[in-house]
């Protein structure tokens, strides 16, 4: 975590000013958004609690209202149970009676049942089954399910042993049934007389319940255990909702196929039923959701507006600075003619003053460089010509030709080869014709120089050449490789008794020409190597030193080119020449 913070802090410090402002404003906006989200979450949780309380209260009121109506109907069943007319009529049915007497019994029971049907408006029909299975009915058209589950109801009534039993059927979504066993109260014999079944219009009771969300589409559902036996209206994907609860009261949010619902439940001990109120989330929280979207839209608008203003404000500050940085990069690459590409800022604030002062400074430096360049060019040309004029070429050439002629007359081939190589070296070294030659010509000078040295050191000099064909026509300043081979002989070969390997290789690397001069001599320690790199160690004799070669390369091509020296004790020394790859001389 600490490393991550350090990394992010470093990245932030290295950002451009305009990006720092954008990040800073973004962090402030995110913090504000976090506070808003926390505030909204707290407000919404409180709102959810209020909704739950209201929903629970209304649901309890609704369940109490339903149960009050059911209790009234239960009172009706008790009155029927204890009605003397019905009792006497049912007792008569146990004996053999004539058709007329049977008609009279049916008439008496129908009149009594009809009077009870009108006692409660939610009673759909009343059915009385005597011990012989004969049905006595009053009221409206009964549900076909009543006869389908008749035996089930009679069985449950017997299990109730005279008490009221509520029967809910899965197939019946609108009605519920009250069933009760009738027993004789005469002489307290409690003889079985039949079974009473009353169909109640449960949907009519629910329709008159108070609504929690007026004018909205919540529905009442009643279940017994996990079995749903009543739904106020058809509900798609009802089986996808979870109606399993472990508490007497509560609420939950459920999602079905991407649609959310607010579900409140309340258990009732009266009939061991659970009452549910299912309200679509979008219906309940339409206004809240709208507020959320409005707040998010306003926040995003504010955020984008703030970012836009920050960018516009930062541009007024950073554009001149970026312009100045670009100009500095041009200067860093050696181009001091930045005034032709970049225009000084005309603003009179601190950045504008810095801008104009920089361009004034660059113009002055450019003038000084031009003056110094002309002076250095004159000095180098003078030094080089002075070096060339140290020897009288005509006298040397005539003398060497005489020595070569005498050597051939006396059949001294070794002396002849040495004299020819020496003459080739002298002609090319002091020639004023060309200051620039090809790699092939420079390597020929090296080969002639090595030819001379082989006669001196014989087998101790192990020389190798590896020059790629594509670099032989590449041009370079004269006398930058041969002096390096000479240094390798002086500082490596002469210091060793055993043979010394000296190699020269050249190849193209991208847009650059790399020339290596390596030996396996005694090498240098770090202190000596640093001194050589700084030019603090002078060459022995009057040869051309490493510092002189490096200065010539930098003078011609630029400071990014030159020599690279590496050396280790008893491992040898490696010198790398890095110059531009070009096959014609472009320097002027």
């Amino acid at each position: 975590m600490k490393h991550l913070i350090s990394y992010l802090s470093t990245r932030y410090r290295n950002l451009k000013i305009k990006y720092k402002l954008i990040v800073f404003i973004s962090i402030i906006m995110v913090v504000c958004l976090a506070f808003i989200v926390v505030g909204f979450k707290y407000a919404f949780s409180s709102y959810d609690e209020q909704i739950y309380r209201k929903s629970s209260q209304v649901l309890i009121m609704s369940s109490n209202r339903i149960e009050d109506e059911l209790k009234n109907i239960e009172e009706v069943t008790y009155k029927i149970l204890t009605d003397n007319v019905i009792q006497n009529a049912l007792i008569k049915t146990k004996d053999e009676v004539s058709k007329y007497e049977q008609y009279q019994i049916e008439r008496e029971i129908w009149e009594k049942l009809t009077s009870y049907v009108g006692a409660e408006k939610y009673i759909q029909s009343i059915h009385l089954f005597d011990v012989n299975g004969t049905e006595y009915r009053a009221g409206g058209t009964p549900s076909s399910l009543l006869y389908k589950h008749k035996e089930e109801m009679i069985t449950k009534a017997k299990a109730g042993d005279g008490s009221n039993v509520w029967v809910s059927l899965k197939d019946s979504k609108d009605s519920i049934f009250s069933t009760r066993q009738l027993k004789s109260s005469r002489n307290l014999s409690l003889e079985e007389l039949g079974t009473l079944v009353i169909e109640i219009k449960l949907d009519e009771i629910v329709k008159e319940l108070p609504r929690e969300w007026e004018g909205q589409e919540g529905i009442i559902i009643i279940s017994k255990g996990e079995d749903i036996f009543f739904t106020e209206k058809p509900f798609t994907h009802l089986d996808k909702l979870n109606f399993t609860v472990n508490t007497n009261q509560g609420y939950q949010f459920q999602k079905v196929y991407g649609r959310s619902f607010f579900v409140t439940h309340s258990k009732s001990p009266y009939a061991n039923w659970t009452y549910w109120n299912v309200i679509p989330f979008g219906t309940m929280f339409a206004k809240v959701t709208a507020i959320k979207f409005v707040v998010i839209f306003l926040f995003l608008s504010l955020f984008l507006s703030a970012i836009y203003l920050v960018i516009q404000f930062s541009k007024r500050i950073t554009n001149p600075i970026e312009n100045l940085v670009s100009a500095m990069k041009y200067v860093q690459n050696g181009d001091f003619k930045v005034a032709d590409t970049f225009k000084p800022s005309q603003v009179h604030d601190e950045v504008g003053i810095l801008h104009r002062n920089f361009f004034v400074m660059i113009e002055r430096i450019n003038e000084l460089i031009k003056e110094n360049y002309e002076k250095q060019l004159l000095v180098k040309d003078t030094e080089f010509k002075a070096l060339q004029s140290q020897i009288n070429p005509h006298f040397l050439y005539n003398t060497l030709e005489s020595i070569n002629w005498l050597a051939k007359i006396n059949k001294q081939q070794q002396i002849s080869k040495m004299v020819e190589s020496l003459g080739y070296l002298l002609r090319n070294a002091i020639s004023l014709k060309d200051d620039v030659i090809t790699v092939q010509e420079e390597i020929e000078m090296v080969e002639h120089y090595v030819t001379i040295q082989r006669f001196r050191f014989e087998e101790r000099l192990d020389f190798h050449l590896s020059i790629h064909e594509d670099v032989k026509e590449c041009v370079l300043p004269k006398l930058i490789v041969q002096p390096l081979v000479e240094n390798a002989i002086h500082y490596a070969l002469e210091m060793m008794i055993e043979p010394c390997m000296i190699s020269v290789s050249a190849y193209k690397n991208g847009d650059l020409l790399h020339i290596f001069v390596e030996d396996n001599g005694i090498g240098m320690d770090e202190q000596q190597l640093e001194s050589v790199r700084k030019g603090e160690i002078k060459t022995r004799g009057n040869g051309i030193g490493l510092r002189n070669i490096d200065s010539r390369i930098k003078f011609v091509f630029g400071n990014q080119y030159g020599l690279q020296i590496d050396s280790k004790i008893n491992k040898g020394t490696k010198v790398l020449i890095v110059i531009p790859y070009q096959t014609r001389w472009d320097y002027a």
Side-chain angles (χ1 to χ4, degrees):
M1 187 63 182
K2 184 178 180 181
H3 294 292
L4 178 61
I5 294 174
S6 177
Y7 171 77
L8 294 176
S9 177
T10 302
R11 288 294 302 272
Y12 178 77
R13 288 197 300 270
N14 294 333
L15 286 175
K16 294 183 178 180
I17 294 175
K18 63 181 179 183
Y19 295 133
K20 285 183 179 179
L21 288 173
I22 293 174
V23 171
F24 181 71
I25 296 298
S26 299
I27 291 174
I28 292 177
M29 298 296 289
V30 169
V31 171
C32 293
L33 178 61
F35 278 108
I36 292 173
V37 169
V38 171
F40 265 94
K41 187 174 182 180
Y42 175 77
F44 292 150
S45 63
S46 301
Y47 185 59
D48 290 345
E49 289 294 329
Q50 294 296 327
I51 292 174
Y52 162 63
R53 291 192 186 124
K54 182 179 178 182
S55 299
S56 297
Q57 290 171 0
V58 174
L59 190 59
I60 291 171
M61 290 172 59
S62 300
S63 63
N64 290 338
R65 175 73 176 273
I66 293 172
E67 290 172 0
D68 287 342
E69 294 297 336
L70 296 180
K71 287 176 183 178
N72 292 335
I73 295 172
E74 188 176 346
E75 287 292 328
V76 173
T77 65
Y78 181 75
K79 291 177 180 179
I80 296 173
L81 174 66
T82 58
D83 190 285
N84 289 328
V85 175
I86 294 176
Q87 285 267 327
N88 293 331
L90 291 176
I91 290 173
K92 291 178 183 180
T93 61
K94 299 189 72 176
D95 300 326
E96 292 186 7
V97 295
S98 64
K99 290 184 178 181
Y100 178 76
E101 289 175 331
Q102 180 65 34
Y103 172 77
Q104 287 293 110
I105 292 172
E106 292 177 359
R107 186 70 180 178
E108 289 175 359
I109 293 176
W110 178 82
E111 289 177 354
K112 293 301 294 184
L113 293 181
T114 301
S115 66
Y116 288 119
V117 168
E120 287 292 333
K121 63 178 181 178
Y122 300 115
I123 294 177
Q124 173 68 21
S125 60
I126 300 176
H127 305 264
L128 187 58
F129 301 93
D130 63 16
V131 292
N132 298 318
T134 303
E135 178 187 8
Y136 306 92
R137 178 170 62 86
T141 303
S143 171
S144 60
L145 294 173
L146 184 146
Y147 299 104
K148 183 179 179 181
H149 297 276
K150 171 185 172 183
E151 296 301 326
E152 177 186 347
M153 293 182 185
I154 293 175
T155 301
K156 289 185 177 181
K158 288 181 179 180
D161 194 26
S163 62
N164 183 72
V165 177
W166 293 104
V167 179
S168 56
L169 302 176
K170 285 186 177 181
D171 300 333
S172 176
K173 301 301 182 183
D174 299 327
S175 301
I176 191 171
F177 301 89
S178 170
T179 181
R180 195 166 196 161
Q181 189 182 37
L182 298 181
K183 292 185 178 183
S184 175
S185 59
R186 182 185 296 176
N187 300 323
L188 300 177
S189 64
L190 300 180
E191 182 182 3
E192 183 180 352
L193 300 178
T195 303
L196 174 66
V197 178
I198 299 179
E199 182 177 355
I200 298 96
K201 296 179 287 187
L202 187 57
D203 59 331
E204 294 296 330
I205 300 175
V206 173
K207 283 180 182 178
E208 297 183 6
L209 294 176
R211 292 297 163 181
E212 178 181 0
W213 306 100
E214 192 172 326
Q216 299 184 1
E217 53 176 327
I219 63 172
I220 298 295
I221 297 174
I222 305 176
S223 66
K224 187 172 184 179
E226 295 184 5
D227 297 328
I228 297 171
F229 63 86
F230 174 80
T231 56
E232 182 181 1
K233 61 180 73 172
F235 186 77
T236 307
H237 308 302
L238 180 65
D239 57 327
K240 301 299 181 182
L241 289 175
N242 180 17
F243 291 101
T244 303
V245 293
N246 298 318
T247 57
N248 291 331
Q249 292 181 356
Y251 73 97
Q252 54 187 308
F253 292 97
Q254 297 189 34
K255 184 171 286 189
V256 178
Y257 295 110
R259 191 180 181 191
S260 298
F261 296 89
F262 183 76
V263 182
T264 309
H265 72 273
S266 175
K267 279 188 175 182
S268 171
Y270 171 68
N272 197 25
W273 293 344
T274 303
Y275 296 87
W276 303 83
N277 192 2
V278 179
I279 304 175
F281 185 85
T283 301
M284 290 183 57
F285 296 93
K287 292 183 179 179
V288 176
T289 304
I291 292 173
K292 286 183 180 179
F293 281 112
V294 168
V295 170
I296 293 174
F297 175 76
L298 291 176
F299 177 82
L300 290 177
S301 300
L302 181 62
F303 178 75
L304 294 176
S305 299
I307 294 299
Y308 175 77
L309 292 175
V310 167
I311 292 175
Q312 295 301 317
F313 175 75
S314 62
K315 280 184 178 179
R316 297 180 178 272
I317 300 176
T318 59
N319 283 354
I321 296 178
E322 290 177 355
N323 192 21
L324 188 60
V325 170
S326 299
M328 288 180 177
K329 288 182 179 179
Y330 272 80
V331 174
Q332 184 179 358
N333 294 328
D335 186 359
F336 287 86
K337 297 179 180 180
V338 294
D340 298 337
T341 306
F342 302 93
K343 300 300 179 183
S345 175
Q346 302 301 319
V347 181
H348 295 282
D349 58 7
E350 294 84 351
V351 177
I353 295 172
L354 177 64
H355 216 263
R356 289 191 296 276
N357 289 344
F358 172 77
F359 280 92
V360 171
M361 178 187 68
I362 292 304
E363 289 178 0
R364 180 58 182 158
I365 290 175
N366 193 29
E367 293 175 358
L368 293 174
I369 288 175
K370 287 182 179 178
E371 293 177 3
N372 185 61
Y373 175 77
E374 292 173 356
K375 292 178 181 178
Q376 290 292 330
L377 191 62
L378 180 61
V379 169
K380 291 293 180 180
D381 186 63
T382 303
E383 289 179 351
F384 194 64
K385 289 182 178 179
L387 178 64
Q388 292 176 329
S389 62
Q390 288 179 357
I391 304 173
N392 188 325
H394 185 71
F395 173 76
L396 284 176
Y397 294 157
N398 289 339
T399 303
L400 289 174
E401 286 294 331
S402 298
I403 295 173
N404 186 27
W405 180 73
L406 290 173
K408 287 182 178 180
I409 290 176
N410 293 285
K411 298 181 180 181
Q412 297 293 326
Q413 295 299 322
Q414 291 182 342
I415 296 175
S416 176
K417 287 183 180 180
M418 290 179 65
V419 170
E420 287 176 357
S421 295
L422 178 61
Y424 182 88
L425 287 175
L426 289 175
R427 286 189 186 92
N428 285 276
I430 63 179
S431 173
L432 297 176
K433 183 179 179 181
D434 293 315
D435 293 333
V436 177
I437 60 177
T438 64
V439 171
Q440 178 67 36
E441 293 171 336
E442 180 74 9
I443 294 304
E444 287 178 2
M445 293 176 63
V446 170
E447 290 178 327
H448 281 289
Y449 174 76
V450 171
T451 297
I452 296 172
Q453 295 298 337
R454 283 189 193 277
F455 290 110
R456 176 184 175 189
F457 297 102
E458 299 180 344
E459 293 81 12
R460 288 176 59 199
L461 175 57
D462 183 14
F463 182 75
H464 299 277
L465 271 176
S466 177
I467 310 299
H468 286 205
E469 287 296 326
D470 55 351
V471 303
K472 287 186 177 181
E473 295 304 314
C474 187
V475 295
L476 74 169
K478 186 193 296 184
L479 291 176
I480 65 171
V481 180
Q482 184 274 331
L484 297 180
V485 176
E486 183 176 350
N487 281 346
I489 291 175
H490 287 335
Y491 296 101
L493 177 59
E494 290 182 0
M495 301 297 179
M496 299 171 61
I497 298 176
E498 62 274 9
C500 176
M501 189 276 292
I502 299 174
S503 66
V504 176
S505 59
Y507 62 89
K508 180 183 179 183
N509 184 9
D511 295 332
L512 302 175
L513 172 63
H514 283 191
I515 303 175
F516 286 91
V517 178
E518 303 175 70
D519 66 69
N520 63 346
I522 60 175
M524 295 177 283
D525 58 24
E526 288 293 328
Q527 185 176 358
Q528 289 178 307
L529 180 61
E530 191 62 28
S531 298
V532 169
R533 287 171 176 168
K534 294 179 178 178
E536 296 173 356
I537 297 180
K538 296 183 178 180
T539 59
R540 295 182 296 181
N542 296 322
I544 300 175
L546 297 178
R547 187 174 184 182
N548 181 283
I549 297 172
D550 187 64
S551 298
R552 287 171 57 202
I553 294 173
K554 286 181 170 27
F555 176 75
V556 173
F557 298 111
N559 290 331
Q560 66 269 38
Y561 305 100
L563 299 184
Q564 298 178 14
I565 308 171
D566 290 304
S567 182
K568 292 184 179 179
I569 292 292
N570 298 323
K571 296 292 184 179
T573 301
K574 179 191 293 185
V575 181
L576 168 63
I577 300 173
V578 180
I579 61 176
Y581 179 87
Q582 52 189 38
T583 56
R584 62 184 183 88
W585 187 242
D586 297 326
Y587 180 77

